[in-house]
């Protein structure tokens, strides 16, 4: 069964299913039991939780490159994961419209990999070091209960690797495709002599579909476990090396029309590029004893980033406050997490409690350099910025799940977060003063929801909660008034979320899940100006995100399965504010009226997959569609909607020494021109990142025990 199809998706009423009831359906394939932790209730079936939670299973027989998480997330409603055809920037990820404004990395969504945060304490995260090769599943949590993960939790995405078991296969995998794209990986998984292991290493390289988009990545992910002190101890290792990934930058509409594969001229002129090197390790100890359970986790890592931007020398020469056209970040991060759980009874009814505390800290040495020496551009020149940035949080949380009657249950929780920012300026030259500063943000975010069992196969739920989102260090970096120093006047955004939903899961494998949601935000963070390579931010008054999510799965016949997902999302401004109408505008001058759309958020998304698996063969037809997207606050530009078809085929052979699988995939079968992703509020009007034309890839996988 395909990973995109294997998920919990449950529904509104049997009436909605009546058109499909004529199809014969085999008994559903049993899935391995897992301890879903996305809602911090490890002892409770996610079907009984008042939350929208999907589990995407990563099958070993996946087709395609297997290099980016976006390959596996197309069928999750409410989630937008866009491949930018630009490995110098991370996958664009947003959930229910949160995170859509991010121009790089992941913003507004919490990301964790094997329980280790991939989102820093300030809310800035990345997906680049997550591995599909070693992953077992991806959990996606949407709605009010995301707030239990603290700062910038508009949604939560967790990647979990499998625990090695005796007899697990080892495998080698190679995939090759257009544009000299090559992915080679190896996974060693198993158990023996008191140790279990899951180690995955991968090499990826491509010349890129667009000009000036060559990239290379090497990654290693490992999960090693053993028994210790009556519990389980796990060592989690991760390494990523991505040197000199070329950045083709965005295109204007005219450039897209002329040649969507081109790179902006300044990308060549300045050789825009980005290098990343990251290593991290974590230790997690868990123990269950009777009704109690404990978990202790600690992690630490080092991340270095160097990026060359196309900022003209004139902008840097004309201002002593300019930080230059080369960004260099180098620093460490780490954290601790401790929690205690208990399950028992309250007044004779099941009760599950979790309480805990966690602390995270990042210390980053941020330097900036001119991107020119004399008349030569695209090189590292004179120092223009030198500061130590520290951000740390200390959070406490508690949660209780209580089934107070045979058909009703309550899930409630609260989290208190304190996030501290501190910057020590070490570049004090001429008219550039000491820009040191500090700021503290605090928030208490309560969440509660109820679930009603209408029948053993049908659940109804409702949930409400509050959340908050601090500025990141990138957003604090410049003041909107153009003066020196950090934008320490920025407030944290505060949100109120509501969700009602229905989950239905028939024993014959049919599943339907429907959710209706609304999130109102005060002090939303938005771009104030974009000029000379500097983005400044400010708080706007009120925004609203509301919509409907639906997903459905139908076993139609033996070895034939249909999966559907659809999202309608209205994300708009509720209070007017001023924004910049022209490129390099320093002072907002145009009214954005109440009711205007938030940029980067499509009104509708749809996904369908029909998979047929006769014997040793596997065939799949996949469709993905998106409506148009506004790309700037004043809505003068937008990316049109699109619909794409993809095809997959695979064949397996069982041999005496192992299993061999050959597979192929064709993306964009109809060779459509479309905009794959957008750069929201780009200061030069280069909003568009075109998606590729028809692409084919083939691969082989060898598995043995």
């Amino acid at each position: 069964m395909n990973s995109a199809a294997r998920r919990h998706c449950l529904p509104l009423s049997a009436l909605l299913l009546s058109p499909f009831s004529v199809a014969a359906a085999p008994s559903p394939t049993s899935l391995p039991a897992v301890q879903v932790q996305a809602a911090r209730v490890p002892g409770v079936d996610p079907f009984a939780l008042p939350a929208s939670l999907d589990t995407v299973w990563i099958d070993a027989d996946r087709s395609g490159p297997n290099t980016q998480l976006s390959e596996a997330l197309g069928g999750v409603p409410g989630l937008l994961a866009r491949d930018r055809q630009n490995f110098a920037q991370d996958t664009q990820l947003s959930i229910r419209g949160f995170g859509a404004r991010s121009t790089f990395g992941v913003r507004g969504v919490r990301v964790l990999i094997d329980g280790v945060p991939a989102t820093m304490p300030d809310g800035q995260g990345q997906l680049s070091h997550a591995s599909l090769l070693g992953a077992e599943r991806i959990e996606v949590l949407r709605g009010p209960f995301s707030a239990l993960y603290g700062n910038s939790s508009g949604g939560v995405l967790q990647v979990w690797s499998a625990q090695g078991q005796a007899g697990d296969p080892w495998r080698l995998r190679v995939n090759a495709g257009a544009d000299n794209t090559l992915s080679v990986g190896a996974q060693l998984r198993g158990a023996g002599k008191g140790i279990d292991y899951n180690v995955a290493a991968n090499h990826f390289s491509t010349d890129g579909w667009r000009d000036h988009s060559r990239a290379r990545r090497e990654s290693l992910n490992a999960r090693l476990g053993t028994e210790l002190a009556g519990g389980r101890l796990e060592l989690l290792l991760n390494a990523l090396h991505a040197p000199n990934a070329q950045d083709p930058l965005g295109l204007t509409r005219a450039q897209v029309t002329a040649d969507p594969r081109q790179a902006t001229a300044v990308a060549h002129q300045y050789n825009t590029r980005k290098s990343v090197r990251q290593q991290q390790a974590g230790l997690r100890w868990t123990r269950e004893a009777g009704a109690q359970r404990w978990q202790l986790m600690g992690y630490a890592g080092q991340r270095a980033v160097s990026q060359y931007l196309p900022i003209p020398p004139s902008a840097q020469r004309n201002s002593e406050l300019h930080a230059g056209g080369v960004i260099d970040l180098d620093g460490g991060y780490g954290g601790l997490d401790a929690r205690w759980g208990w399950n028992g009874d309250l007044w004779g009814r099941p009760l599950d409690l979790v309480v805990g505390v966690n602390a995270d800290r990042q210390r980053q040495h941020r330097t900036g350099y001119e991107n020119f020496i004399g008349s030569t551009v695209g090189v590292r020149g004179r120092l223009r910025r030198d500061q130590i940035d520290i951000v740390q949080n200390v959070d406490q949380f508690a949660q209780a799940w209580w089934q107070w009657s045979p058909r009703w249950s309550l899930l409630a929780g609260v989290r208190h977060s304190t996030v501290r920012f501190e910057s020590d300026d070490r570049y004090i030259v001429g008219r550039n003063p000491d820009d040191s500063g500090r700021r503290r943000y605090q928030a208490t975010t309560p969440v509660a929801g109820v679930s009603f069992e209408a029948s053993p196969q049908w659940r109804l739920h409702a949930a409400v909660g509050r959340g908050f989102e601090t500025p990141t260090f990138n957003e604090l970096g410049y003041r909107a008034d153009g003066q020196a120093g950090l934008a320490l006047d920025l407030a944290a955004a505060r949100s109120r979320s509501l969700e009602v939903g229905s989950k239905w899961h028939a024993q014959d494998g049919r599943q339907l899940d429907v959710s209706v949601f609304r999130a109102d935000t005060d002090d939303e963070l938005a771009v104030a100006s974009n000029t000379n390579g500097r983005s400044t931010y400010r708080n706007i008054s009120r925004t609203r995100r509301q919509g409907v999510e639906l997903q459905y799965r139908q076993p139609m016949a033996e070895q034939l399965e249909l999966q559907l997902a659809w999202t309608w999302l209205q994300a708009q401004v509720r209070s007017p504010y001023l924004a910049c109408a022209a490129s390099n505008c320093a002072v907002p001058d145009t009214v954005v009226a109440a009711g205007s759309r938030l940029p980067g958020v499509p009104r509708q998304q749809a996904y369908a997959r029909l998979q047929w698996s006769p014997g040793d063969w596997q065939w799949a037809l996949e469709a993905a569609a998106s409506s148009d997207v506004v790309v700037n606050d004043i809505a003068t530009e937008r990316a049109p909607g699109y619909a794409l078809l993809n095809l997959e085929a695979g064949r397996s052979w069982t041999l005496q020494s192992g299993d061999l699988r050959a597979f192929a995939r064709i993306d964009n079968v109809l060779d459509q021109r479309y905009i794959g992703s957008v750069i929201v509020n780009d200061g030069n009007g280069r909003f568009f990142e075109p998606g590729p034309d028809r692409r084919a890839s083939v691969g082989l996988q060898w598995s043995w025990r």
Side-chain angles (χ1 to χ4, degrees):
M1 189 178 294
N2 179 268
S3 63
R6 289 167 66 177
R7 67 182 83 246
H8 301 285
C9 38
L10 319 158
L12 184 58
S13 73
L15 179 63
L16 294 175
L17 294 174
S18 57
F20 303 96
S21 60
V22 297
S27 298
T29 302
S30 61
L31 298 177
V34 298
Q35 199 175 60
V36 177
Q37 300 185 40
R40 298 195 188 278
V41 194
V44 180
D45 187 338
F47 182 61
L49 298 178
S52 294
L53 169 65
D54 287 287
T55 301
V56 180
W57 295 91
I58 308 300
D59 290 338
D61 59 354
R62 287 183 55 82
S63 299
N66 232 28
T67 57
Q68 298 194 85
L69 291 187
S70 58
E71 299 174 43
L73 296 173
V76 180
L79 181 147
L80 182 64
R82 288 183 158 177
D83 177 2
R84 305 182 65 173
Q85 298 299 308
N86 180 355
F87 285 91
Q89 306 295 344
D90 216 332
T91 300
Q92 281 188 339
L93 180 70
S94 64
I95 294 180
R96 292 184 175 176
F98 288 97
R101 77 172 185 274
S102 179
T103 56
F104 62 92
V106 178
R107 188 73 184 87
V109 176
R110 300 294 291 187
V111 179
L112 300 97
I113 300 174
D114 280 328
V116 176
T119 299
M120 294 297 101
D122 66 346
Q124 186 71 48
Q126 63 275 329
L127 291 170
S128 53
H129 62 291
S131 170
L132 278 179
L133 184 63
E136 177 190 52
R137 68 190 190 275
I138 304 172
E139 294 175 3
V140 180
L141 176 65
R142 311 180 301 282
F145 280 95
S146 302
L148 288 180
Y149 283 80
N151 179 24
S152 298
S153 297
V156 180
L157 185 146
Q158 298 201 67
V159 182
W160 294 97
S161 57
Q163 178 181 334
Q165 304 289 339
D168 280 345
W170 292 9
R171 57 179 173 145
L172 294 174
R173 179 186 176 96
V174 60
N175 181 271
D179 309 312
N180 289 322
T181 299
L182 177 67
S183 178
V184 180
Q187 182 189 30
L188 308 180
R189 198 175 85 187
K193 297 183 179 179
I195 296 178
D196 57 80
Y197 56 90
N198 181 356
V199 181
N202 194 79
H203 163 84
F204 171 79
S205 62
T206 182
D207 287 346
W209 178 70
R210 291 182 59 195
D211 193 16
H212 194 72
S213 59
R214 183 181 294 112
R216 175 170 65 90
R217 286 182 176 179
E218 276 85 33
S219 64
L220 174 69
N221 292 267
R223 175 178 176 178
L224 312 174
T226 189
E227 300 299 314
L228 179 69
R232 174 173 171 78
L233 180 67
E234 292 182 311
L235 174 62
L236 309 167
L237 300 174
N238 176 275
L240 171 71
H241 181 44
N244 294 318
Q246 295 177 331
D247 188 348
L249 305 177
L251 299 177
T252 65
R253 182 175 297 279
Q255 289 172 325
V256 171
T257 302
D259 179 10
R261 300 190 66 168
Q262 68 174 301
T264 306
V266 293
H268 291 286
Q269 180 185 358
Y270 290 86
N271 189 20
T272 48
R273 61 199 185 275
K274 181 180 179 182
S275 296
V276 177
R277 184 183 292 274
Q278 176 174 310
Q279 306 88 28
Q280 69 181 35
L283 275 176
R284 179 171 59 234
W285 181 75
T286 56
R287 184 187 181 200
E288 294 189 15
Q292 299 186 70
R293 56 186 183 270
W294 296 266
Q295 176 177 298
L296 300 174
M297 187 190 73
Y299 72 96
Q302 190 80 18
R303 183 175 175 89
V305 178
S306 178
Q307 186 170 12
Y308 288 74
L309 304 174
I311 300 174
S314 59
Q316 300 167 65
R317 292 191 182 107
N318 292 338
S319 173
E320 292 189 42
L321 303 182
H322 204 286
V326 179
I327 299 172
D328 193 276
L329 308 173
D330 190 1
Y333 57 90
L336 297 170
D337 183 285
R339 63 186 66 176
W340 170 82
W342 176 83
N343 59 78
D345 293 328
L346 176 64
W347 298 333
R349 304 301 305 173
L351 174 68
D352 189 285
L353 297 174
V354 179
V355 296
V357 60
N358 81 280
D360 306 278
R361 186 178 189 270
Q362 180 187 22
R363 183 185 187 276
Q364 185 170 257
H365 187 195
R366 178 187 294 263
T367 52
Y369 300 86
E370 293 174 344
N371 58 359
F372 64 93
I373 299 176
S375 60
T376 303
V377 298
V379 296
R380 180 173 298 200
R382 187 164 59 98
L383 181 70
R384 296 298 299 268
R385 187 173 194 170
D386 186 1
Q387 65 193 54
I388 301 295
D389 293 334
I390 297 174
V391 58
Q392 53 192 341
N393 70 275
V394 178
D395 290 18
Q396 308 84 37
F397 57 86
Q399 183 177 274
W401 177 84
W402 184 39
Q403 187 175 356
W404 81 77
S405 79
R407 303 176 70 181
W408 288 90
S409 62
L410 168 71
L411 179 64
V414 63
R415 187 181 185 107
H416 178 76
S417 301
T418 302
V419 185
R420 293 180 174 88
F421 292 82
E422 181 178 348
S423 183
D424 178 14
D425 188 6
R426 300 181 175 184
Y427 183 77
I428 306 169
V429 177
R431 291 181 57 248
N432 193 331
D434 187 347
D435 297 332
S436 300
R438 60 184 61 194
R439 177 71 192 267
R440 185 179 72 168
Y441 299 90
Q442 292 190 87
T444 299
T445 51
V447 186
V450 294
S451 177
F452 172 68
E453 181 183 340
S455 74
Q457 293 81 35
W458 185 20
R459 299 279 183 137
L460 301 171
H461 73 265
V464 295
R466 293 181 177 271
F468 84 112
E469 179 178 1
T470 70
T472 66
F473 255 121
N474 293 317
E475 292 163 338
L476 292 171
Y478 301 104
R479 289 172 47 171
D481 59 8
Q483 299 301 308
L486 301 178
L488 298 177
D489 60 331
L490 289 177
R494 310 277 175 153
S495 61
R496 302 170 302 282
S497 298
L498 167 69
E499 173 182 303
V500 294
S502 170
K503 304 177 181 181
W504 182 82
H505 185 179
Q507 292 186 356
D508 62 7
R510 290 174 297 163
Q511 299 180 18
L512 179 64
D513 187 7
V514 179
S515 296
V516 180
F517 60 89
R518 172 180 287 180
D520 290 322
T521 302
D522 296 329
D523 290 326
E524 177 102 14
L525 290 157
V527 171
S529 66
N530 234 327
T531 179
N532 293 327
R534 293 167 52 159
S535 295
T536 66
Y537 295 84
R538 63 177 186 159
N539 297 104
I540 61 176
S541 184
R542 297 185 300 159
T543 61
R544 171 172 288 173
R545 298 164 173 87
Q546 61 184 358
V548 180
E549 296 168 350
L550 180 149
Q551 56 181 328
Y552 178 76
R553 196 177 89 190
Q554 169 79 40
M556 300 178 67
E558 190 70 29
Q559 307 299 330
L560 184 65
E561 186 174 68
L562 173 67
Q563 184 203 352
L564 303 172
W566 173 73
T567 303
W568 177 81
L569 174 59
Q570 183 184 60
Q572 57 186 192
V573 176
R574 298 187 65 207
S575 298
Y577 67 97
L578 293 177
C580 283
S583 298
N584 291 325
C585 159
V587 180
D589 55 7
T590 302
V591 175
V592 178
S596 299
R597 293 174 60 181
L598 291 178
V601 183
R603 182 65 56 86
Q604 294 192 68
Q605 293 173 248
Y607 174 88
R609 182 181 176 91
L610 182 64
Q611 181 170 303
W612 183 40
S613 305
D616 294 327
W617 285 91
Q618 183 184 78
W619 306 86
L621 174 64
E622 189 178 81
S626 173
S627 62
D628 69 328
V629 174
V630 170
V631 300
N632 56 353
D633 290 330
I634 59 176
T636 56
E637 292 271 14
R638 65 184 61 206
Y642 61 84
L644 304 176
L645 288 177
N646 309 313
L647 287 175
E648 290 182 10
R651 172 72 159 88
S652 299
W653 295 268
T654 300
L655 307 177
Q656 185 175 0
S657 55
D659 298 325
L660 178 67
R661 183 172 186 269
F663 53 91
R665 180 178 170 95
I666 303 176
D667 290 290
N668 193 4
V669 173
L670 302 180
D671 203 22
Q672 299 292 302
R673 277 197 170 189
Y674 70 104
I675 302 299
S677 58
V678 298
I679 304 172
V680 171
N681 286 318
D682 183 83
N684 297 291
R686 299 191 292 256
F687 303 111
F688 306 107
E689 294 180 306
D693 54 18
R694 185 186 298 118
R695 304 277 93 182
S697 65
V698 296
L700 286 173
Q701 179 173 279
W702 173 245
S703 303
W704 75 98
R705 289 176 172 79

